[in-house]
Amino acid sequence: GWSRQFDGRLIYGKTRADGVADIFAWAKEHIFEMITVKQVAEACDVSESCARGTMNKRPDVFKKFGREYEVRDADADRKAQKK
């Protein structure tokens, strides 16, 4: 989207919200894979800090195992808990 720079210029580019949406879309295609922050950052074209922050905020989607994360299907996990 559009963003205003510190000097007042308007530029069009990818926002952090676009990057977060890309991460979740990518995760839906890679369920149950073991991944690293670097892999997600490169695949979704976001910074590693954005990827790490997003992954840490959603433990229902990204389950942490040391330095790696497992991509989970949050909907399927909730349905399994209800049974």
Side-chain angles (χ1 to χ4, degrees):
W2 289 97
S3 64
R4 186 169 299 279
Q5 299 298 298
F6 66 93
D7 60 359
R9 293 179 297 129
L10 277 175
I11 63 166
Y12 188 81
K14 190 173 184 179
T15 63
R16 188 173 184 100
D18 295 335
V20 170
D22 289 348
I23 290 171
F24 289 124
W26 182 87
K28 285 183 181 181
E29 298 171 5
H30 296 85
I31 302 279
F32 301 120
E33 287 186 24
M34 294 299 287
I35 55 166
T36 63
V37 172
K38 189 171 187 172
Q39 287 173 318
V40 174
E42 289 173 357
C44 299
D45 195 29
V46 295
S47 67
E48 287 188 25
S49 64
C50 176
R52 184 177 299 107
T54 302
M55 293 164 74
N56 287 335
K57 287 178 188 169
R58 293 295 304 270
D60 58 325
V61 178
F62 301 99
K63 188 172 182 180
K64 189 169 185 176
F65 293 98
R67 290 187 177 207
E68 291 189 324
Y69 293 80
E70 180 184 20
V71 182
R72 304 291 302 167
D73 184 358
D75 294 332
D77 289 345
R78 283 188 215 105
K79 288 178 185 174
Q81 287 178 351
K82 287 183 180 180
K83 290 184 179 179

